[in-house]
Amino acid sequence: MTTPDVTPVAASTWLVGGFGPDMECESEGISVMHSRADGSLELSHLAAAVPSASFLVVDGAKVYSTLEGSGQVAAFDRDGETLSEASLTKSGGQYPCHITVNGGTVIAANYGTGTLGVIDAGEASGELATRQVVETTGIGPRPQQEGPHAHSSLFVDDHTVFSLDLGADRIRIFSYSNFALEQTDEVALPAGFGPRDIVARPGDLFYVLGELGCGFMVFEWKDRQLNKLCFIALPGAVEGDQAAAIAISDDASHAYVGVRHSNLIAVLTIAEDGRSVAPLTAVSCEGNWPRHMILSDGILHVCNQFSNEIASFRIDDNGIPQLITAPTRVLSPTYLARIA
């Protein structure tokens, strides 16, 4: 069922990336999407023909992307909706699935090898260069945890980086200086949790999502220690599901999480101080295998990889996503980034 609300939404422009043939999928690269008046998205044109651009970061006039199947990171200059030819460098491992950018530094999380690649973004030359590869170790109790699997990282400040290891059930804490990371601490998470996504919130709070355990945790960063404040199971998730990504509502009152296999959007209520969450409900993601999701101008967009669609939802007064219209066909979408 679709919502009858057709209040016009401010125009927006997006880049969408996805898995291509080298990841046994169909995306041709990075494409441009435009919003419709109802807030849903329509596909416009291919901006860069690159293989498996699975994760995107827009940083001003720069766009960075993982090229997951080939173990590379790409950088593009952006002029409006036009992307330049890519500058490429090795990601420092296999299957880079996430990048974080801070000034002239890019950190790639390599799922296949568990390594972190520290990349010089070449602010002067415009060329990327991999400056350090950080090796990690560790295993977990689930079949997917046979070794370390770096899945995301985050600059807490200019000299501190958190990295999530899905394979080892760890949050690793690093000091950073001059294109070099050095691990200073780590936080052990529940066995089989499989940390995947991390989102920074005001007040030195961090929301952490467990892909394999389908759980959601809240941490506080205080006195250079990560302290757990809250842990809940995702509503609607069952054994064998996998959690995908976190999106936060514009007013910070709700969190939305993709749940694969069951193909749901789990909805959580966030306490006013942000220090705890509670399960609210779960609704269909209106596709198969939700990956990245993002909320902008009151519209939640969900990349449904296996059904080759992006579904767009208005958030009603109770915080519940309501499908706007039939999902838009996009080949193997995995990530959306707004550019205007």
Side-chain angles (χ1 to χ4, degrees):
M1 180 178 295
T2 61
T3 174
D5 189 348
V6 291
T7 304
V9 174
S12 57
T13 303
W14 300 75
L15 297 178
V16 58
F19 284 142
D22 62 353
M23 294 292 287
E24 300 182 353
C25 290
E26 300 178 72
S27 174
E28 296 177 339
I30 301 172
S31 294
V32 173
M33 301 191 76
H34 296 139
S35 63
R36 304 183 180 102
D38 62 9
S40 64
L41 302 181
E42 60 183 354
L43 194 61
S44 176
H45 61 276
L46 184 67
V50 289
S52 292
S54 60
F55 191 97
L56 307 175
V57 172
V58 176
D59 185 33
K62 286 281 190 180
V63 175
Y64 299 93
S65 174
T66 57
L67 303 184
E68 192 160 340
S70 59
Q72 296 177 295
V73 171
F76 306 85
D77 292 316
R78 181 178 65 85
D79 182 5
E81 299 178 6
T82 301
L83 298 182
S84 69
E85 185 176 347
S87 172
L88 304 174
T89 191
K90 293 181 179 179
S91 68
Q94 294 178 337
Y95 302 125
C97 60
H98 181 280
I99 48 178
T100 188
V101 178
N102 185 48
T105 304
V106 178
I107 296 178
N110 294 288
Y111 180 88
T113 48
T115 51
L116 298 173
V118 183
I119 297 166
D120 183 344
E123 290 184 303
S125 66
E127 297 296 319
L128 299 179
T130 304
R131 299 278 292 272
Q132 183 194 27
V133 176
V134 179
E135 303 281 347
T136 62
T137 61
I139 60 173
R142 298 180 186 267
Q144 303 97 321
Q145 297 179 300
E146 79 295 344
H149 292 305
H151 210 298
S152 58
S153 59
L154 178 71
F155 273 94
V156 179
D157 55 46
D158 288 342
H159 300 289
T160 309
V161 173
F162 294 163
S163 179
L164 271 55
D165 190 327
L166 181 147
D169 290 322
R170 293 287 187 272
I171 302 175
R172 305 184 192 276
I173 302 172
F174 295 90
S175 64
Y176 170 81
S177 179
N178 194 29
F179 302 107
L181 293 171
E182 181 179 357
Q183 186 169 335
T184 59
D185 202 356
E186 66 181 26
V187 176
L189 301 180
F193 186 71
R196 173 190 177 95
D197 197 13
I198 182 169
V199 175
R201 303 301 299 153
D204 290 324
L205 301 176
F206 295 87
Y207 296 166
V208 175
L209 180 65
E211 175 179 319
L212 305 180
C214 284
F216 192 103
M217 302 181 76
V218 180
F219 288 88
E220 181 182 30
W221 177 240
K222 186 175 182 180
D223 299 327
R224 301 200 65 77
Q225 297 286 325
L226 264 180
N227 304 301
K228 184 181 77 173
L229 301 179
C230 176
F231 175 92
I232 68 163
L234 297 177
V238 299
E239 184 63 32
D241 282 346
Q242 297 178 6
I246 302 170
I248 306 296
S249 65
D250 296 338
D251 63 1
S253 63
H254 294 87
Y256 304 90
V257 176
V259 179
R260 304 188 305 216
H261 286 307
S262 288
N263 292 329
L264 300 173
I265 302 167
V267 184
L268 313 179
T269 301
I270 302 174
E272 188 172 349
D273 62 6
R275 297 171 67 85
S276 64
V277 297
L280 180 58
T281 190
V283 300
S284 172
C285 71
E286 301 295 342
N288 186 3
W289 210 255
R291 293 190 67 93
H292 182 238
M293 56 176 57
I294 184 170
L295 206 153
S296 181
D297 294 336
I299 306 295
L300 179 68
H301 305 289
V302 180
C303 296
N304 289 316
Q305 179 192 342
F306 289 163
S307 54
N308 298 302
E309 295 167 318
I310 290 178
S312 299
F313 304 79
R314 284 181 184 264
I315 305 302
D316 70 17
D317 292 342
N318 297 312
I320 311 301
Q322 304 287 342
L323 184 67
I324 295 171
T325 189
T328 298
R329 181 168 173 78
V330 180
L331 295 176
S332 309
T334 60
Y335 204 87
L336 271 169
R338 184 169 176 171
I339 58 173

